[in-house]
Amino acid sequence: MNTSIFTHSKLNLVLLLLALVAPFVLYPVFLMKVLCFALFACAFNLLLGFAGLLSFGHAVFLGTGGYVTGYLMINTGITPELGILAGTVAAGLIGALYGKLAVRREGIYFAMVTLALAQLAFFFYLQAPFTGGEDGLQGVPRGHLFGVIDLSDNLQMYFFVLAIFLFGFWLIQRTVHSPFGQVLKAIRENEPRAISLGYNVNDYKWVAFIISAALAGLAGSTKTLVFQLASLTDVHWHMSGEVVLMTLVGGMGTLFGPLVGAAAIVTIQNYLSGGELGNYIHIIMGAIFVICVLAFRNGIVGQFRKVLKQNF
Amino acid sequence: MATFLGINLFGLFGQLLVGLINGSFYALLSLGLAIIFGLLKIINFAQGAMYMLGAFAAWMALNYLGINYWLALILVPLAVGAAGILMERLLIRPIAKEDHLYSLLLTFGIALMLQGMFTHVFGSSGMAYAIPEALQGGIKLPFMYLPTYRAWIVVASILVCGATWWMIEKTRLGAYLRAGTENAQLMQAFGINVPLMVTLTFGFGVGLAGFAGVMAAPVYSVSPDMGSNLLIIVFAIVVIGGMGSIGGAILTGLGMGIVEGLTKYFYPEASSTVIFLVMVIVLLLKPAGLFGKEA
């Protein structure tokens, strides 16, 4: 156990250094996109990887965060940190509502319930007057952080996004390693046993759902500031599928998997949409899904870990 | 214009008919899902894509091969069923022993690929399929105008659903199927070829979606995303009904179509969301679903 914590903190340090140097080597907007999706996938993985709950409607939390932040930034002129906070809280509240309903069913039904609830929200956002319908909310101002730091500068924005990501990632790590996280894992492994040990399983799932939803909202709020846009794409079921794919590719149930998976998928998408293969993007995403499920269920990080364990 | 208690009967019956037609498709798709779930314990996320495939197959058969509607109504479900059988044998079977969430993800990937391929080849704007000659026109009833093809959809779907229900609940083959649903291992011990039964069941369930696709081609535009939009609604219906009962799946499908039709008349703004709202209410009052067994 000691060694694994040691290597984790070492890995953390290496990644942090990379993240600090990266914007001077790579395009900052691309990196910010990766970080937003990484946070989104990490939040999703808290449910799937550590509580065994497959939500097929997580786009609604990403999108809600985005819409709330976007609307407030355009119409009230509040500072970006407050805008993001509002988006996160809104997503958490919807998460509390949806989670309460969804935890009443298990397994495959849970996935269907979350997908259906997300579609309900999609139609709501499609018709609601404040979302801009098909056009979405465009030209969202990034504003000045704490009223001081100008975020329209991409490099300053990048470090703000990095700070948000690190906060979210830290919170998830803390949650997973806390007694609460241990109970979640117990529920994942053997739910009847967790019940017989006296845990109120549904309450644990519910709280995990709220944390996951709020962090997905945080990712969505941040993404809206980065791209200065909140649109229906973020609440569409395609987006819910994408975050499942990122987590699957990276390795579900691992802390770093969703980060790696998000980086991989965003890179592939950026590469494809630039070239001739842009038309094939959904076919390729579907194929990656099929291949991962058939032959690569551990994901990149899971596979790496397995090889490491076998050889050392 | 016929009115009753201030209600425009013409409009009301019109929306009821539209609801009943949608309900027919809901019933066919949720029936297929329920049959597959019963034996394989998986949810086929590609069911919507198979419905789309059925509609496109009918369109292609007519335009490339000159196969008419009636022949397509028989051939296309068989072809889609065969595609389902291949899918089960080649892709789903190898991971049958893994967590069922993996098969959900697998079929989701297949659905994405199919939808992507058809979007790539045909574009996303939808194509028209002419109503067969024998079913053109309509009947003028005292309170509404009834297009023949729409009446045919409702009648044919109810017949197919009814026949499926009868086959499963009343015949020897159906008894095997129900027994397999309860305890597949025991069935195998009695000398029933369960793997074959699983494959054929999957093919049949998917074939129902293909049949629905052919039926839908003349009334909805044939487009790559016709299946995914429908499937999410069908998921909500499956949650409402619970997948424990074949008859329950059919009744819930038709019933929700009618509910949707009524909403379209009385409060059109909510017509796209009403089924999801019903699902919320059912989750609150009877979490196992209307026809589901208490978990």
Side-chain angles (χ1 to χ4, degrees):
Chain A
M1 198 64 205
N2 270 333
T3 52
S4 91
I5 284 174
F6 177 64
T7 48
H8 250 175
S9 61
K10 224 176 178 178
L11 192 57
N12 277 342
L13 205 66
V14 172
L15 284 173
L16 185 63
L17 280 175
L18 276 177
L20 289 174
V21 181
F24 300 101
V25 185
L26 294 161
Y27 185 46
V29 174
F30 167 76
L31 291 170
M32 288 191 272
K33 188 177 178 187
V34 169
L35 285 177
C36 289
F37 277 107
L39 180 57
F40 183 32
C42 287
F44 169 80
N45 186 45
L46 179 66
L47 267 190
L48 176 62
F50 295 100
L53 298 170
L54 172 61
S55 159
F56 234 103
H58 248 50
V60 59
F61 308 120
L62 184 83
T64 299
Y67 275 132
V68 169
T69 304
Y71 184 82
L72 291 176
M73 293 301 291
I74 290 174
N75 293 296
T76 66
I78 56 171
T79 48
E81 73 281 356
L82 289 178
I84 287 180
L85 185 68
T88 309
V89 170
L93 286 175
I94 293 193
L97 193 69
Y98 277 15
K100 197 80 191 169
L101 290 166
V103 298
R104 296 171 79 90
R105 300 302 297 266
E106 285 165 16
I108 280 166
Y109 280 103
F110 183 89
M112 291 194 288
V113 168
T114 45
L115 177 59
L117 288 173
Q119 193 72 354
L120 177 68
F122 176 83
F123 282 119
F124 172 74
Y125 286 132
L126 182 65
Q127 294 172 353
F130 58 86
T131 60
E134 307 268 358
D135 299 331
L137 300 172
Q138 295 175 356
V140 177
R142 283 184 183 171
H144 288 68
L145 183 60
F146 306 119
V148 185
I149 304 166
D150 183 10
L151 291 181
S152 56
D153 178 66
N154 270 340
L155 207 57
Q156 299 192 13
M157 184 69 197
Y158 172 80
F159 285 107
F160 178 48
V161 173
L162 181 63
I164 289 172
F165 171 79
L166 289 175
F167 165 75
F169 194 68
W170 170 81
L171 193 72
I172 289 167
Q173 271 197 7
R174 287 297 304 142
T175 309
V176 167
H177 291 135
S178 70
F180 172 77
Q182 299 297 322
V183 177
L184 283 186
K185 277 184 239 173
I187 294 170
R188 179 189 67 188
E189 295 302 327
N190 193 335
E191 184 164 340
R193 193 144 180 191
I195 295 170
S196 73
L197 284 171
Y199 290 110
N200 192 338
V201 167
N202 279 0
D203 280 355
Y204 276 89
K205 287 182 187 172
W206 185 43
V207 173
F209 198 97
I210 296 172
I211 298 174
S212 175
L215 287 175
L218 178 62
S221 297
T222 313
K223 183 171 168 291
T224 289
L225 279 195
V226 171
F227 291 100
Q228 305 187 283
L229 170 75
S231 73
L232 283 170
T233 318
D234 287 352
V235 279
H236 195 265
W237 60 266
H238 264 289
M239 186 59 81
S240 298
E242 235 163 69
V243 74
V244 181
L245 183 59
M246 288 172 183
T247 309
L248 184 66
V249 167
M252 47 175 113
T254 63
L255 279 171
F256 288 100
L259 174 61
V260 175
I265 297 296
V266 170
T267 308
I268 292 172
Q269 281 175 342
N270 262 29
Y271 175 75
L272 288 179
S273 62
E276 289 168 15
L277 289 170
N279 292 328
Y280 294 94
I281 205 158
H282 289 304
I283 307 177
I284 292 171
M285 290 295 129
I288 297 175
F289 246 112
V290 172
I291 292 166
C292 277
V293 170
L294 285 179
F296 199 58
R297 280 185 292 276
N298 294 321
I300 297 170
V301 171
Q303 196 68 30
F304 190 68
R305 204 193 252 171
K306 207 169 147 191
V307 171
L308 222 59
K309 239 182 217 161
Q310 279 164 357
N311 296 325
F312 297 100
Chain B
M1 189 168 284
T3 53
F4 176 71
L5 295 176
I7 293 169
N8 170 4
L9 286 183
F10 226 72
L12 179 62
F13 279 102
Q15 290 302 349
L16 265 181
L17 178 67
V18 171
L20 211 52
I21 288 164
N22 286 339
S24 304
F25 292 117
Y26 298 157
L28 281 170
L29 261 79
S30 61
L31 176 62
L33 282 180
I35 292 173
I36 293 171
F37 181 79
L39 203 54
L40 283 80
K41 300 285 176 267
I42 68 167
I43 274 290
N44 180 21
F45 221 120
Q47 193 79 350
M50 291 302 180
Y51 161 82
M52 181 267 294
L53 193 64
F56 267 101
W59 187 89
M60 287 190 284
L62 182 70
N63 288 286
Y64 300 156
L65 304 171
I67 295 175
N68 71 16
Y69 174 83
W70 300 105
L71 214 53
L73 205 55
I74 299 165
L75 291 180
V76 168
L78 289 176
V80 172
I85 284 176
L86 275 179
M87 190 172 124
E88 198 274 334
R89 276 282 150 127
L90 297 177
L91 300 172
I92 296 174
R93 179 69 52 92
I95 57 158
K97 288 202 167 58
E98 305 289 334
D99 194 318
H100 292 311
L101 291 180
Y102 284 114
S103 54
L104 181 85
L105 298 181
L106 178 78
T107 51
F108 178 72
I110 294 169
L112 271 189
M113 281 173 74
L114 280 173
Q115 192 175 331
M117 281 178 210
F118 279 91
T119 310
H120 181 63
V121 177
F122 294 97
S124 49
S125 61
M127 273 145 354
Y129 184 99
I131 294 175
E133 241 169 74
L135 296 174
Q136 279 170 2
I139 313 154
K140 211 166 169 117
L141 299 177
F143 48 86
M144 67 179 297
Y145 175 76
L146 180 66
T148 316
Y149 188 77
R150 298 187 174 235
W152 156 250
I153 290 179
V154 178
V155 173
S157 307
I158 290 177
L159 281 179
V160 168
C161 286
T164 307
W165 175 85
W166 177 80
M167 199 174 76
I168 292 172
E169 300 288 339
K170 302 290 172 197
T171 66
R172 192 165 187 84
L173 187 69
Y176 288 156
L177 199 73
R178 280 176 288 133
T181 306
E182 290 295 326
N183 192 335
Q185 244 178 341
L186 200 61
M187 284 297 286
Q188 185 112 31
F190 280 144
I192 307 291
N193 188 345
V194 172
L196 180 69
M197 205 164 78
V198 164
T199 303
L200 292 179
T201 304
F202 193 85
F204 183 76
V206 162
L208 277 177
F211 175 77
V214 185
M215 298 283 290
V219 275
Y220 302 134
S221 79
V222 179
S223 74
D225 62 354
M226 66 191 285
S228 53
N229 294 337
L230 181 67
L231 186 69
I232 300 177
I233 299 175
V234 170
F235 276 176
I237 287 168
V238 161
V239 174
I240 292 169
M243 279 186 296
S245 127
I246 297 297
I250 301 169
L251 288 180
T252 316
L254 285 171
M256 283 304 114
I258 293 171
V259 167
E260 199 183 40
L262 287 176
T263 314
K264 231 176 234 159
Y265 181 77
F266 287 107
Y267 189 62
E269 288 82 4
S271 62
S272 55
T273 48
V274 65
I275 292 178
F276 301 117
L277 292 171
V278 172
M279 181 191 82
V280 169
I281 295 166
V282 168
L283 278 173
L284 287 173
L285 299 179
K286 199 168 182 300
L290 297 179
F291 297 91
K293 295 163 203 149
E294 249 356 283

